[in-house]
Amino acid sequence: MKRIVEIVPARPGWYARWRVGPEVTRCYPVTLWALLEGADGGGREVVGVDCVGQWPGADDDGAGDFVRYLFQTPDSGVPEDADPSAVGEPRDGASRRPAVAPVV
């Protein structure tokens, strides 16, 4: 079992990308970063917890297979595979990109 050593909020623009189908991914904003440590005091790692409570290595991360973290500056918009219910409405009235994109 791992224990949480430290938690810090994630800055806007960080996303966790999950594979939800053979050719489909979905991104969710990362809300916090957690420093985890093995029960023996070794093996530290940092994981991002996204806005729906998923993180790589969780026993019940119903999102699919974790692909990677990505950063996109907030002024450049959201990733094209961002979950529309998780990212809110665009602030500038711009049209939203499609919520699902093929894996590249």
Side-chain angles (χ1 to χ4, degrees), residues 4-88:
I4 298 171
V5 176
E6 186 174 354
I7 295 174
V8 296
R11 291 185 175 188
W14 282 103
Y15 295 88
R17 178 167 281 152
W18 300 86
R19 184 176 318 282
V20 295
E23 298 290 323
V24 180
T25 59
R26 176 101 33 184
C27 280
Y28 297 93
V30 173
T31 55
L32 62 89
W33 298 103
L35 175 61
L36 305 179
E37 182 176 81
D40 61 357
R44 287 184 165 196
E45 67 178 317
V46 174
V47 296
V49 179
D50 65 29
C51 67
V52 291
Q54 307 164 135
W55 68 91
D59 292 335
D60 58 349
D61 65 28
D65 296 322
F66 177 73
V67 177
R68 68 184 179 112
Y69 296 109
L70 64 127
F71 180 78
Q72 191 157 320
T73 59
D75 62 340
S76 64
V78 298
E80 48 186 45
D81 60 342
D83 183 301
S85 65
V87 296

